[in-house]
Amino acid sequence: MRLHKLDITAFGPFGTTQSVDFDALSAAGLFLLHGPTGAGKTSVLDAVCYALYGSVPGARQNGQGTALRSDHAAPGVRTEVRLGLTVAGRRLEITRQPPWERPKKRGTGTTVDKAQTWLREYDTATGTWKDLSRSHQEAGEGITQLLGMNREQFCQVVLLPQGDFARFLRADAEARGRLLGRLFDTRRFAEVEKRLAERRRTTEARVRDGDGALLADAHRMQQAAGHTMALPDLAPGQPGLAEAVLGAAAVARSTAREQLAVARCRLTAAESAQAAAERHLAEARELDRLRRRFTEARERADRLAERAGAHREARQRMERARKAEAVAPALELRDATETEHRRAAGAEARARALLPDGLADAGAAGLAAAARRAAEELGGLEAARRAEDRLAGLVRERAALDRDERADEELLAEAESWLAAWDTTRAALQHDVETAQEAAARAEHLAVQREPVQRQLRAARERDRLAGDTDTAQRRALASATRAAEARAHWLDLKEQRLDGIAAELAARLTDGRPCAVCGATEHPAPARKDAGHVDREAEERALAAYQEAEERRAEDERRLGAVREALAAATAEAGDTPADRLAEEAAELERRYAEARAAASGLHAAHEALRRAEQERERRIADQRDAAVRAASRVGRRDRLERERAVLEQELAQARGSAASVAARADQLRRRAALLTEAAEAARAAEDTAQRLKDADARLADAAFRAGFDTPGAAAEALLDDAAHRELQRQLDAWGAEEAAVRAVLAEEDTAAAARRPPVDLAAAERAAEAAARQLREAASARDAAARRCAELDRLSARATAAVRALAPLREEYDRVARLAALTAGTSADNERRMRLESYVLAARLEQVAAAATVRLRRMSSGRYTLVHSDDRAGRGRSGLGLHVVDAWTGRERDTATLSGGETFFASLALALGLADVVTEEAGGVRLDTLFIDEGFGSLDDQTLDEVLDVLDSLRERDRSVGIVSHVGDLRRRIHAQLEVVKGRTGSALRQRGTG
């Protein structure tokens, strides 16, 4: 991957468009990105990362969207990052615009534009750019696939953060494992460990569940065996449980079968005894039944003899009733005719009692003629009834006109009263509208004043806070400068003392017979001796390290002081010299006035609505006045017509009513008279007809009684029986005959007579013997059934337990196999000698590759002194970790990387970062990385080490690579000619390229 050009607009500290020509910078192979603290050096790298992945590195990830926008940008300029690069042989250009809150084109306020992404590729055949994608996700996935690494890997490999690798050198195995796991994506191996552990837990749970079910069946077998079965004292999952359960089940089944055989023998004997007792009981019951049957038959015969006379009387009565049945129709006809005649005569008497005196004795024909005359007079009153109904309607219409007239008079009076006060009402409502409009205008004016006052108040409070912070930061910076000066003076003193005693230090290495490194002599007659206060190399290096640490703290405190001063200046420029308390009072007063104006303006809509409703009410009342006047004019003519029609109808009705109060009353009189006359005529005719039929019925009855053999009709009537009496008498006769035949048949039976001659039997004793035999049989059968159920249940549970054991055997084997694998990959197995987890094992191999790649550059940077090696010694809870040691060629000893000095830590971490970049690149598919960035740390190197480090970085050009160093070390500006400088100012930062031809 090679970067060509980067364009930044309104991004981070860059308020305007800035461009970086990476092709010109890369031509020198090594270039410097420098600038003062806070100018925006890191923002250039953030822009590269944002263009590729749509997000910025590390802890700055949450700065997305509108937070990426520069505070120095003009309101109409949109934030944009455009990057041109070549990757995998393809020339690409990617442009990203984060979400943007811009001013609206119409009206006031702002609106948010969505994020935009463009990915283009240069077509060398046509010499034009072609669009590949405008999707955020699709462009990000395409870049990730081409580079072969995700954003985190890119930030570690291309944007080499020296501080991270310095911590990596001093970190423990767990911290190294987390970083390497992210870079080399060993999550699949951790997932394998997790899946094996989950599978082990799952299979273990299934084995325990199987053993639990087996123990449950064992408890059921123990209950079925009557608690004579001994259960194994083992828990689910313990070995030998299945064999113990199956053995105990076999013993229980054998015992149950023996009990079943004994129960069957007892049941056979009980069945034989019960059969003999049942036969004896049956014979005794039969003899007793026959004896009782004969005795009952003799008693019934005696009762029949006692009732023989009553039987003969009943038979005679039945014969007379059969003769009287021939006279029954004539009797029924005569009774029915007599009843009908009495009913008709009573109705006639009641009807005549209601007639006037002159008609009470008239015949049926006279009554019918009088009824016809009354009906004719009633028909003549129909026209008078219609006229009477019309007169009632006229009265109702006149009353309705009077009510309407009174309602219109009230309406006119109310409308005139309301309209008289209209001018006053309208003026009051119009005043409410004008007052609310003025309050709304005042609220809008105050709303414009609120934001500047609030902003000035916030700036004043920030100014007061930063004033105290400035004093604190100034005192801290002064103290740091003092300590740095003291540390430098101490280091220079020790260095001078060491140089003064360097001869003694060289003499300590002299050996007789070997030439001196300074003069070449093989004899050393008077070597220099170390004084009591001699300073060696280690003391000088410690003093140098203390000085460098103090210098770093001094620089950091000065950077903090500068940042606080800049913030204080910005806050002072915004707030001025006005005290914060006074600004707070002004803001509070403005807020109070604004709230009052908004409260007053909130009634504007209600005031408009009240005025509109009042105007609508005025129009309605005026319309009501017009409508009431029209209705009053129409009522005058209608009232006259009603009066004339009423006079005519009253004259006609006076003639038709006669002496009655009304036509309806006269009609009711005639209707009742006609009905009474008609009813009396019909009753008279019915009474005459029934009297004649009664005479005819008496003659026929007398003739029928004589022919049946009765002297009078009354004797025939007495001999008759109703249906119930006839049925009862016939039942008595039939019962007598049936009883007589049954008694005669029983007394004629030979076995019954023979049984009567035999002596009586003891039936109770036979029943007791039979009940005792049946009870013994039931007990034997219950014992046999219980034994059979016990055997069947034990056989069923034993078969199920055997099948469960067979089914559980493969699962036990699977659990043993998975448990061994899970323990092996988790590092807890005895077979895993170094107790290394699978992921740690893979990462250890990667760390070995990284250490080998880093050693190539570290030897050159350290003049062949240091070598990085991986160590798999156990660390932390007895497990092998990801150890990293450094081998010192001067001492031949291996020591921990945490013992390196500040400068040594820098070039060791740089070598580690470059080595890691090579390994991660190879792991990601061998994508060539032609542009690298190294962030800070060069200030801790002395001149010689700095030259060696720069030589190593410069050697990367042999592979056509370019390296950008991000640093503010002044010495690097003299050593590196190609430079990208970040210049900061009050209106934002700017970029300048130097030494690029």
Side-chain angles (χ1 to χ4, degrees):
M1 180 201 72
R2 176 177 292 276
L3 305 181
H4 297 295
K5 187 177 182 182
L6 175 66
D7 294 325
I8 309 172
T9 302
F11 183 88
F14 305 105
T16 59
T17 300
Q18 304 294 322
S19 298
V20 180
D21 187 355
F22 284 109
D23 287 335
L25 291 172
S26 300
L30 193 65
F31 62 91
L32 177 66
L33 174 59
H34 68 94
T37 300
K41 300 187 295 297
T42 306
S43 296
V44 176
L45 309 183
D46 289 348
V48 173
C49 186
Y50 178 73
L52 293 174
Y53 295 96
S55 60
V56 295
R60 300 184 296 279
Q61 292 182 45
N62 54 5
Q64 300 299 306
T66 56
L68 296 175
R69 179 171 177 79
S70 175
D71 295 334
H72 303 285
V77 178
R78 179 160 188 174
T79 303
E80 179 181 276
V81 176
R82 179 182 293 110
L83 177 65
L85 72 159
T86 297
V87 57
R90 300 171 63 181
R91 180 71 179 266
L92 303 175
E93 181 186 82
I94 183 167
T95 303
R96 292 189 186 270
Q97 294 177 347
W100 182 35
E101 184 177 0
R102 62 169 176 81
K104 291 183 178 179
K105 296 180 180 179
R106 296 179 180 178
T108 61
T110 60
T111 184
V112 177
D113 286 347
K114 296 181 178 179
Q116 301 288 334
T117 299
W118 295 272
L119 179 61
R120 302 194 303 168
E121 182 177 7
Y122 184 74
D123 190 350
T124 57
T126 61
T128 59
W129 290 91
K130 62 179 182 179
D131 293 335
L132 295 181
S133 175
R134 297 196 65 174
S135 167
H136 307 299
Q137 183 177 1
E138 185 177 310
E141 292 177 352
I143 292 296
T144 302
Q145 185 175 4
L146 288 173
L147 291 176
M149 60 185 74
N150 56 29
R151 180 186 56 80
E152 188 170 29
Q153 291 174 318
F154 176 83
C155 294
Q156 290 289 147
V157 173
V158 178
L159 311 178
L160 301 179
Q162 291 307 110
D164 288 353
F165 283 97
R167 287 190 294 272
F168 182 82
L169 282 174
R170 300 186 177 94
D172 56 10
E174 294 295 331
R176 290 195 184 107
R178 286 193 295 271
L179 176 60
L180 293 174
R182 291 195 301 270
L183 294 178
F184 293 105
D185 193 14
T186 58
R187 289 175 295 179
R188 59 187 183 277
F189 300 103
E191 188 65 24
V192 168
E193 297 177 23
K194 181 179 178 182
R195 291 290 298 277
L196 284 173
E198 290 177 353
R199 189 170 176 185
R200 176 182 60 78
R201 289 191 295 270
T202 302
T203 52
E204 182 181 8
R206 291 173 60 190
V207 169
R208 289 182 178 274
D209 291 343
D211 285 348
L214 186 61
L215 273 179
D217 284 342
H219 283 288
R220 295 188 185 97
M221 285 188 283
Q222 186 185 41
Q223 293 176 357
H227 296 281
T228 60
M229 174 181 171
L231 293 180
D233 189 14
L234 295 173
Q238 291 184 350
L241 176 64
E243 293 78 4
V245 170
L246 294 180
V251 174
R253 289 201 309 276
S254 176
T255 303
R257 291 193 183 95
E258 293 176 358
Q259 294 174 352
L260 177 60
V262 173
R264 285 173 176 170
C265 292
R266 292 178 179 173
L267 178 61
T268 302
E271 288 175 347
S272 299
Q274 195 267 346
E278 287 291 335
R279 286 194 301 271
H280 178 67
L281 177 61
E283 293 173 355
R285 285 176 175 171
E286 182 63 17
L287 180 59
D288 182 69
R289 184 185 68 79
L290 292 175
R291 287 178 58 81
R292 285 188 286 103
R293 180 179 176 82
F294 184 81
T295 303
E296 291 174 357
R298 292 299 300 270
E299 293 174 353
R300 289 162 64 188
D302 294 341
R303 287 193 296 271
L304 287 175
E306 293 174 357
R307 292 185 285 122
H311 176 64
R312 285 192 298 273
E313 292 178 359
R315 192 164 53 246
Q316 292 173 0
R317 186 180 179 189
M318 179 62 74
E319 291 176 358
R320 286 177 58 80
R322 289 194 182 97
K323 292 179 180 181
E325 287 178 357
V327 189
L331 283 171
E332 293 176 358
L333 177 61
R334 195 266 176 191
D335 292 341
T337 304
E338 184 179 10
T339 300
E340 187 178 359
H341 175 65
R342 286 197 299 269
R343 187 181 301 110
E348 181 185 9
R350 289 191 297 274
R352 288 183 179 274
L354 298 176
L355 294 176
D357 296 337
L359 298 174
D361 297 331
L367 293 174
R372 285 193 297 272
R373 290 192 298 272
E376 290 174 357
E377 186 178 357
L378 178 64
L381 292 177
E382 184 63 29
R385 187 162 44 248
R386 288 196 297 271
E388 189 177 42
D389 293 341
R390 174 57 183 162
L391 180 61
L394 291 176
V395 173
R396 289 193 297 272
E397 289 183 14
R398 176 61 185 270
L401 287 176
D402 293 341
R403 286 195 302 272
D404 292 344
E405 184 175 9
R406 288 193 298 272
D408 286 342
E409 290 175 354
E410 293 176 359
L411 179 65
L412 288 172
E414 183 182 358
E416 289 176 358
S417 174
W418 193 91
L419 291 173
W422 164 245
D423 293 338
T424 303
T425 302
R426 186 178 183 279
L429 294 175
Q430 188 65 37
H431 178 267
D432 293 342
V433 171
E434 293 173 355
T435 301
Q437 288 176 343
E438 292 176 358
R442 189 166 62 256
E444 292 180 0
H445 178 69
L446 293 174
V448 175
Q449 300 176 1
R450 288 171 65 239
E451 180 59 27
V453 173
Q454 292 290 341
R455 189 166 56 249
Q456 186 179 8
L457 176 59
R458 289 193 297 270
R461 290 171 175 170
E462 183 69 11
R463 176 202 61 198
D464 296 344
R465 184 186 64 81
L466 291 174
D469 293 347
T470 302
D471 296 338
T472 303
Q474 189 170 5
R475 289 193 299 271
R476 186 177 299 168
L478 181 60
S480 298
T482 303
R483 286 193 294 272
E486 293 174 353
R488 176 179 174 82
H490 178 63
W491 167 61
L492 292 176
D493 291 342
L494 292 181
K495 186 175 183 180
E496 184 177 0
Q497 294 177 20
R498 180 170 176 255
L499 291 176
D500 293 341
I502 193 68
E505 186 174 338
L506 293 175
R509 303 177 184 176
L510 295 178
T511 305
D512 291 338
R514 293 185 180 181
C516 174
V518 179
C519 64
T522 58
E523 295 182 0
H524 317 292
R529 303 295 181 181
K530 292 183 178 180
D531 298 333
H534 178 74
V535 177
D536 55 8
R537 182 182 181 87
E538 292 181 358
E540 180 188 355
E541 290 178 350
R542 284 195 300 272
L544 176 60
Y547 161 63
Q548 291 172 342
E549 183 178 358
E551 183 66 21
E552 289 178 357
R553 284 197 298 269
R554 181 197 62 77
E556 179 64 24
D557 290 342
E558 288 181 353
R559 284 194 297 271
R560 291 177 181 173
L561 177 60
V564 172
R565 284 175 173 172
E566 290 181 3
L568 177 60
T572 303
E574 179 72 23
D577 298 330
T578 305
D581 295 341
R582 184 185 303 172
L583 291 174
E585 293 175 357
E586 294 177 0
E589 177 63 21
L590 185 61
E591 287 294 330
R592 185 188 61 77
R593 292 167 55 198
Y594 176 69
E596 292 177 353
R598 280 183 58 86
S602 63
L604 177 60
H605 177 71
H608 276 296
E609 287 295 316
L611 179 60
R612 182 182 61 81
R613 288 194 297 271
E615 291 174 347
Q616 291 177 350
E617 180 69 13
R618 176 175 176 274
E619 296 296 330
R620 184 181 65 79
R621 291 182 181 274
I622 293 174
D624 289 344
Q625 283 181 324
R626 289 195 301 268
D627 295 342
V630 172
R631 288 194 297 272
S634 65
R635 277 195 298 270
V636 175
R638 186 177 178 187
R639 185 181 291 110
D640 294 340
R641 290 193 299 272
L642 291 177
E643 288 296 333
R644 288 193 299 271
E645 186 177 2
R646 178 181 178 183
V648 174
L649 291 176
E650 286 180 348
Q651 184 177 2
E652 293 178 357
L653 290 175
Q655 297 175 358
R657 284 195 300 266
S659 61
S662 64
V663 174
R666 178 61 179 166
D668 289 340
Q669 291 176 358
L670 293 174
R671 191 179 298 107
R672 287 194 299 272
R673 181 185 180 96
L676 291 174
L677 290 172
T678 301
E679 183 179 358
E682 292 177 353
R685 285 195 294 270
E688 293 174 357
D689 293 340
T690 55
Q692 183 60 41
R693 289 199 300 272
L694 180 60
K695 292 179 182 179
D696 296 340
D698 287 337
R700 286 194 294 271
L701 176 60
D703 183 62
F706 177 76
R707 286 198 299 271
F710 293 99
D711 296 336
T712 63
E718 291 178 358
L720 278 175
L721 295 174
D722 57 13
D723 291 342
H726 186 279
R727 286 195 299 272
E728 177 62 25
L729 185 58
Q730 185 63 46
R731 185 190 63 78
Q732 293 176 2
L733 294 174
D734 293 342
W736 172 273
E739 180 69 10
E740 184 181 20
V743 169
R744 192 181 302 113
V746 171
L747 293 177
E749 294 175 356
E750 295 181 359
D751 55 349
T752 303
R757 293 190 294 270
R758 294 178 62 181
V761 296
D762 190 355
L763 183 60
E767 289 178 347
R768 288 194 297 272
E771 290 177 359
R775 184 169 58 255
Q776 293 176 359
L777 178 61
R778 288 194 299 272
E779 292 175 355
S782 298
R784 190 277 314 272
D785 293 341
R789 287 195 300 272
R790 186 179 300 111
C791 288
E793 183 68 9
L794 288 173
D795 291 341
R796 183 182 68 82
L797 293 174
S798 296
R800 190 166 74 176
T802 303
V805 170
R806 292 197 188 99
L808 200 58
L811 185 61
R812 289 183 185 277
E813 295 177 0
E814 179 185 359
Y815 167 67
D816 294 339
R817 182 172 61 255
V818 171
R820 288 196 302 270
L821 285 175
L824 186 64
T825 57
T828 58
S829 173
D831 297 334
N832 191 333
E833 296 180 358
R834 295 188 177 275
R835 302 189 68 186
M836 293 183 68
R837 294 173 47 232
L838 178 61
E839 184 181 16
S840 299
Y841 178 77
V842 175
L843 292 177
R846 291 288 186 266
L847 187 56
E848 287 181 350
Q849 297 176 355
V850 172
T855 296
V856 176
R857 296 183 175 89
L858 181 58
R859 286 178 177 172
R860 184 171 179 182
M861 292 180 187
S862 62
S863 301
R865 179 178 179 181
Y866 295 118
T867 302
L868 283 175
V869 295
H870 164 254
S871 173
D872 55 5
D873 293 338
R874 294 186 179 182
R877 294 179 295 179
R879 297 192 182 184
S880 297
L882 299 172
L884 191 63
H885 292 175
V886 61
V887 178
D888 190 344
W890 289 6
T891 62
R893 293 183 179 180
E894 181 178 324
R895 56 192 173 97
D896 194 271
T897 53
T899 61
L900 294 173
S901 65
E904 293 170 342
T905 299
F906 169 75
F907 60 71
S909 61
L910 177 59
L912 185 65
L914 295 173
L916 183 63
D918 292 340
V919 175
V920 172
T921 301
E922 183 178 357
E923 175 72 14
V927 177
R928 181 180 176 85
L929 301 177
D930 298 319
T931 306
L932 299 176
F933 293 91
I934 301 174
D935 189 6
E936 289 298 346
F938 291 86
S940 62
L941 304 180
D942 56 28
D943 293 343
Q944 180 180 354
T945 305
L946 182 60
D947 289 337
E948 293 173 350
V949 170
L950 292 179
D951 289 342
V952 171
L953 296 178
D954 192 55
S955 67
L956 296 176
R957 286 190 297 176
E958 299 172 1
R959 300 169 60 185
D960 197 20
R961 280 185 175 181
S962 61
V963 179
I965 297 177
V966 183
S967 179
H968 53 66
V969 176
D971 194 29
L972 290 175
R973 301 176 198 171
R974 296 188 299 271
R975 296 171 181 262
I976 301 175
H977 300 290
Q979 298 179 9
L980 176 63
E981 183 181 5
V982 184
V983 181
K984 69 177 180 179
R986 297 185 61 84
T987 59
S989 298
L991 297 175
R992 289 188 295 190
Q993 291 189 204
R994 298 179 180 178
T996 58

